[in-house]
Amino acid sequence: MINVTKPFLPPQEEYNHYLRGIWSRTWLTNNGPLVNELELTLKNYFSVPHLFFVSNGTIALQLAIKALGLQGEIITTPFSFVATTSSIVWEGCTPVFVDIDPTTYNIDPKLIEAAITPHTTAILATHVFGNPCAVQEIAAIAARHKLRVIYDAAHAFGTQYQGRSVLHQGDISTLSFHSTKLFHTIEGGALITHNADLANTIAHMRNFGFHGPETFQGVGINGKNSEFHAAMGLCNLKYVGQILARRQELTEVYHQMLKPLQAGTPFLRPNAGFNYAYYPVLFDNEAVLLKMIEALHGVYVYPRRYFYPSLEKLSYVRPGQQMCASSNIASRVLCLPLYHELSVEEVKMICRAILRADRY
């Protein structure tokens, strides 16, 4: 059985090495030495000044909204994982959807300004499948209208833009380190900012608002993560280069094998270094997509409709928002299996099953 993804695990003895240290210290959580080491290592990896390791990517989004003091309306994309929208709603704000560019699958910057109202306070955009958003255009719009910018970079670990990490963009970027991601800490996430005041706010909010043993700076939440999760991150970070290279190799096999299919894939932004986090394929229509899923299930391959449905269809958002491009893409896009242990022969088998189904 081949699933759409499979977690990377380091050699068990490397993880056990960290576990022995945890056992000897009995320091399991509350910003222990491994959490601090992981944060420092990731800051160096991304060349960013402030990074906070938290319990998951959804908490990272919620903390970003809270730390920026956002209220009212937040412009966002309908083509993302549900957490992007639900975090906005959870924090008492209103998601206002702007349709996507059908070539990149990211929020279309040409449509953003028409959606801005006196109640708009921010733009929350997703680097979909690790493909960078139109960050310069979004920055210009935000500056003109005095809006804050959050990037949901859950897919963008290792993505470059103009020669450096895409995490240098926006007021805050958030990451997911869930086990399905190309870099994971089993469960986890992070916030990245270049603003020292925002960093101070996030540091306190992540830890119940504590400002000393018996004082509180303000309202906070338990967003911390444990030494066990940090240990997995420290192990896995050593292999990120290999993981990225392997994903690129498998992606190129997909490209070559599926050329006869003439199916669509996202247009990659110029000056961007893609991280090969996913392999999405855009079929002609939903009927073809469903036929491909059936064919792949027949050989025990389980792709994923990612993302489906388009988020304007959620029951808890403002009704009546029509997102034609997002709905269209969501109905036709399928992510094929892509992970470190997947073999070239397995990729070829997947492609042959798709090409057979395309002929009948």
Side-chain angles (χ1 to χ4, degrees):
M1 187 169 68
I2 300 174
N3 289 317
V4 68
T5 190
K6 182 179 180 180
F8 174 86
L9 286 173
Q12 192 168 347
E13 179 52 36
E14 292 185 15
Y15 190 60
N16 288 342
H17 168 75
Y18 285 106
L19 294 184
R20 285 192 287 271
I22 295 171
W23 250 257
S24 67
R25 289 186 297 271
T26 64
W27 190 347
L28 308 185
T29 186
N30 289 349
N31 298 320
L34 297 183
V35 165
N36 289 320
E37 183 182 350
L38 179 62
E39 288 183 336
L40 179 60
T41 306
L42 287 171
K43 282 194 289 186
N44 291 335
Y45 180 83
F46 295 124
S47 297
V48 295
H50 308 290
L51 181 146
F52 299 92
F53 181 45
V54 294
S55 51
N56 56 64
T58 304
I59 286 293
L61 285 168
Q62 293 170 7
L63 280 167
I65 294 166
K66 186 71 77 176
L68 289 167
L70 301 182
Q71 298 178 332
E73 298 173 351
I74 298 176
I75 288 173
T76 193
T77 173
F79 192 70
S80 184
F81 184 58
V82 68
T84 310
T85 293
S86 61
S87 295
I88 295 170
V89 176
W90 193 271
E91 292 303 324
C93 299
T94 301
V96 174
F97 293 112
V98 164
D99 212 350
I100 62 172
D101 180 333
T103 65
T104 66
Y105 308 172
N106 289 327
I107 193 169
D108 190 337
K110 299 187 298 296
L111 305 178
I112 289 176
E113 286 190 288
I116 294 172
T117 75
H119 304 292
T120 306
T121 56
I123 300 166
L124 199 173
T126 299
H127 302 302
V128 174
F129 302 139
N131 189 20
C133 291
V135 293
Q136 292 177 319
E137 294 92 330
I138 291 172
I141 294 167
R144 282 197 297 272
H145 296 275
K146 297 182 172 57
L147 304 177
R148 311 308 290 267
V149 178
I150 299 170
Y151 283 110
D152 182 342
H155 296 174
F157 192 104
T159 294
Q160 301 284 308
Y161 181 72
Q162 294 186 335
R164 63 177 185 170
S165 171
V166 75
L167 303 175
H168 287 263
Q169 305 296 325
D171 293 288
I172 299 175
S173 288
T174 67
L175 287 166
S176 170
F177 299 152
H178 185 262
S179 60
T180 57
K181 300 297 187 289
L182 68 85
F183 168 81
H184 76 87
T185 60
I186 307 170
E187 285 277 7
L191 296 92
I192 296 91
T193 184
H194 287 66
N195 184 297
D197 292 333
L198 269 178
N200 180 63
T201 299
I202 293 166
H204 286 87
M205 282 186 170
R206 172 181 67 166
N207 188 25
F208 300 101
F210 271 116
H211 187 65
E214 297 175 347
T215 58
F216 297 89
Q217 178 169 297
V219 67
I221 195 170
N222 184 7
K224 303 185 305 298
N225 212 324
S226 79
E227 292 290 273
F228 296 91
H229 294 82
M232 182 60 74
L234 288 166
C235 287
N236 285 341
L237 196 56
K238 301 172 190 175
Y239 296 94
V240 162
Q242 295 178 33
I243 292 168
L244 291 170
R246 179 63 172 171
R247 286 172 173 267
Q248 182 176 4
E249 177 189 5
L250 296 175
T251 294
E252 289 169 356
V253 176
Y254 273 127
H255 282 341
Q256 291 301 316
M257 289 285 293
L258 293 179
K259 277 183 179 179
L261 192 66
Q262 297 183 332
T265 55
F267 172 77
L268 301 181
R269 186 162 296 283
N271 301 318
F274 189 48
N275 65 352
Y276 306 96
Y278 298 86
Y279 194 83
V281 176
L282 187 69
F283 294 102
D284 285 342
N285 53 60
E286 189 171 25
V288 173
L289 176 144
L290 294 173
K291 181 174 75 170
M292 295 301 172
I293 291 174
E294 183 179 8
L296 289 171
H297 285 182
V299 291
Y300 304 101
V301 174
Y302 297 91
R304 183 174 178 185
R305 300 186 71 175
Y306 201 53
F307 305 100
Y308 182 82
S310 184
L311 295 177
E312 80 278 4
K313 295 179 170 61
L314 293 171
S315 62
Y316 49 82
V317 301
R318 181 186 294 169
Q321 300 180 76
Q322 299 297 317
M323 300 291 123
C324 297
S326 179
S327 291
N328 180 272
I329 296 295
S331 71
R332 298 191 290 132
V333 73
L334 186 69
C335 282
L336 301 180
L338 186 61
Y339 52 86
H340 186 75
E341 291 185 14
L342 191 66
S343 71
V344 169
E345 283 307 312
E346 286 171 325
V347 170
K348 290 180 178 179
M349 180 273 289
I350 293 166
C351 293
R352 287 193 295 268
I354 291 172
L355 293 172
R356 280 197 305 270
D358 187 52
R359 290 195 293 268
Y360 298 102

